[in-house]
Amino acid sequence: MDYEYVPLRLPSNVDRFTANAQLTIQAEYGGWELARVRLYADGTRQVMLRRRVTNDTMPGLST
């Protein structure tokens, strides 16, 4: 399966619950899923989101 990835950097002033809400919105409306989270010593988080790459074509059309 092929995935596309998008990195997000969350600053240290974003608490865990706010980060959870932001990621939930991305997952629900953008089709993203959580691939990896890194927490750095300065409190910032690097989040990697991924979603499946689809080649949806309309029925009756050839590519």
Side-chain angles (χ1 to χ4, degrees):
M1 288 191 247
D2 291 329
Y3 289 96
E4 61 179 320
Y5 292 87
V6 62
L8 295 176
R9 187 86 172 198
L10 299 174
S12 61
N13 64 347
V14 175
D15 67 352
R16 191 170 159 187
F17 298 109
T18 304
N20 185 14
Q22 290 177 353
L23 295 174
T24 300
I25 291 169
Q26 289 292 328
E28 196 166 328
Y29 295 108
W32 294 98
E33 63 184 31
L34 186 63
R36 179 177 51 222
V37 177
R38 287 186 182 172
L39 179 61
Y40 292 99
D42 64 353
T44 60
R45 291 178 184 87
Q46 172 140 10
V47 178
M48 187 69 69
L49 300 176
R50 73 177 185 180
R51 67 178 169 188
R52 232 180 248 176
V53 175
T54 60
N55 293 331
D56 292 336
T57 58
M58 296 188 70
L61 297 177
S62 61
T63 55

